[in-house]
Amino acid sequence: MKLSIVLATRNEESNIYNCLFAIKSIADEIIIFDEHSTDKTIEIARKFGASVFDTNHNDNFHVTKQKAINKAKGEWILQLDADEIVTKQLSNEISEVIKMTNEEIHNRVPKNKKDALLFERHLALLNKRDGQPKNNFGEVVAFFIPRVNMFLGKPLIHGGVYPDGVIRLIKNGRAHLPAKSVHEQMQINGAVAWLYNPLEHWDSPTLMRYIMRLNRYTSLQSVDISKKGVSKSLLNLIRYSSFEPAKVFIDRFVVHRGYLDGMYGFIWALFSAWHYPIAYYKFFVNTP
């Protein structure tokens, strides 16, 4: 068995069909761990031949994702979210690289110099954030995939969000999710390379859906703030209400030229900035 597709789901009937339809031709097996969905998620998944396992809900979805990874039997594993769609170009590229030798993988090069620079810079930022340098030498056991975030139906290409590099294609047994943060990357035992065709991320088709996600993520961020030992003080209230959101907005909209995405870039940068005050206010009122 060459390729396993794994997902964690919870009430994803609006997304799961498009996700599974896009990968049905390359999947040797589809593994889904579902957190007690009450809609048609499981019914749709089984129509694609997926093996569905019921599991308890966990606020950190990465715990459930890791359960799906552990169940996979393929030599390679592609971990997806239900609101992600593998493009035809990416599908073809995945089919090619999982058949390559390690030398052939290392000899692959980006389509153009601009992509190479973008990927290099993005990798450096991830290494700094995650605190675990990604090894680019030796046996390649994982691939970053450049993800395009679709915001209100439009692709966000600027604002520092492309390529939104996510490690999703991994060799079985050589990677795992620590499940410490909602934004974490896989921890890899080996070298990491890049795929060059995009994965579409349809997480925010409507503003209402985005606000629902914002509510969930800021709740998790408030827990992180508490773990970091941030105090409840006037200084921090000012910091999280003004300085942090201003810094994020300027970075997204001005420094990384989010304005090139027009009004959608402005709205996205603004809501991204609001994560900080909302998370801090939740921490302030919900912790003793």
Side-chain angles (χ1 to χ4, degrees):
M1 190 176 291
K2 199 70 176 177
L3 181 65
S4 299
I5 311 290
V6 304
L7 296 93
T9 58
R10 189 185 188 203
N11 293 331
E12 291 284 359
E13 70 174 8
S14 62
N15 293 311
I16 194 71
Y17 180 89
N18 290 335
C19 176
L20 297 184
F21 184 83
I23 53 85
K24 65 177 184 176
S25 64
I26 63 171
D28 292 310
E29 70 169 355
I30 302 172
I31 302 291
I32 294 178
F33 270 70
D34 182 80
E35 295 186 346
H36 305 317
S37 287
T38 56
D39 61 6
K40 295 181 179 179
T41 298
I42 295 174
E43 178 185 337
I44 296 169
R46 285 181 173 150
K47 287 181 179 178
F48 283 93
S51 298
V52 182
F53 301 87
D54 191 55
T55 189
N56 291 331
H57 171 65
N58 194 296
D59 286 337
N60 188 335
F61 218 34
H62 288 195
V63 173
T64 306
K65 291 178 182 180
Q66 185 60 47
K67 291 178 182 179
I69 291 169
N70 293 342
K71 199 73 175 178
K73 298 175 183 176
E75 179 186 352
W76 287 90
I77 300 169
L78 177 62
Q79 188 272 309
L80 295 173
D81 291 343
D83 58 5
E84 294 172 336
I85 297 176
V86 174
T87 60
K88 183 61 178 175
Q89 295 86 348
L90 177 59
S91 174
N92 292 337
E93 187 178 12
I94 290 171
S95 296
E96 291 171 4
V97 297
I98 62 176
K99 297 173 185 174
M100 289 181 177
T101 65
N102 194 60
E103 183 180 2
E104 288 172 330
I105 293 173
H106 277 293
N107 287 335
R108 295 175 75 244
V109 294
K111 299 174 188 175
N112 55 62
K113 191 174 182 180
K114 182 181 177 183
D115 280 347
L117 292 172
L118 273 173
F119 295 163
E120 237 178 78
R121 185 174 65 188
H122 195 79
L123 183 61
L125 289 171
L126 289 171
N127 288 343
K128 182 180 179 181
R129 187 195 73 185
D130 296 346
Q132 47 160 336
K134 299 295 185 295
N135 173 19
N136 291 318
F137 305 98
E139 182 188 2
V140 174
V141 299
F143 288 89
F144 277 103
I145 298 176
R147 188 168 62 167
V148 177
N149 291 295
M150 309 296 290
F151 182 67
L152 309 184
K154 301 290 184 179
L156 291 176
I157 304 301
H158 305 92
V161 292
Y162 182 83
D164 180 14
V166 286
I167 298 176
R168 293 300 182 78
L169 182 62
I170 58 176
K171 214 159 196 179
N172 202 337
R174 302 295 293 271
H176 75 281
L177 287 162
K180 294 178 181 178
S181 166
V182 71
H183 296 298
E184 72 193 2
Q185 289 282 3
M186 296 267 190
Q187 287 191 346
I188 308 299
N189 179 20
V192 184
W194 277 90
L195 298 182
Y196 302 126
N197 290 289
L199 173 70
E200 293 181 356
H201 188 205
W202 291 83
D203 67 319
S204 304
T206 66
L207 197 56
M208 180 60 71
R209 175 71 182 241
Y210 178 86
I211 291 171
M212 289 171 61
R213 288 173 57 84
L214 180 147
N215 184 48
R216 181 162 64 91
Y217 283 133
T218 52
S219 293
L220 292 171
Q221 283 179 279
S222 71
V223 174
D224 288 340
I225 290 173
S226 179
K227 288 179 179 178
K228 289 176 182 177
V230 175
S231 63
K232 296 180 180 181
S233 65
L234 178 60
L235 186 62
N236 278 327
L237 183 64
I238 295 172
R239 173 192 167 192
Y240 281 93
S241 297
S242 56
F243 294 118
E244 292 294 345
K247 184 169 68 174
V248 170
F249 181 82
I250 293 170
D251 178 72
R252 302 288 193 274
F253 194 68
V254 180
V255 177
H256 286 97
R257 301 188 298 172
Y259 57 84
L260 292 176
D261 288 322
M263 179 57 77
Y264 295 92
F266 173 81
I267 296 172
W268 181 82
L270 185 64
F271 274 94
S272 296
W274 284 350
H275 276 241
Y276 276 94
I278 293 171
Y280 185 77
Y281 301 157
K282 286 183 177 182
F283 155 74
F284 197 94
V285 301
N286 292 333
T287 56

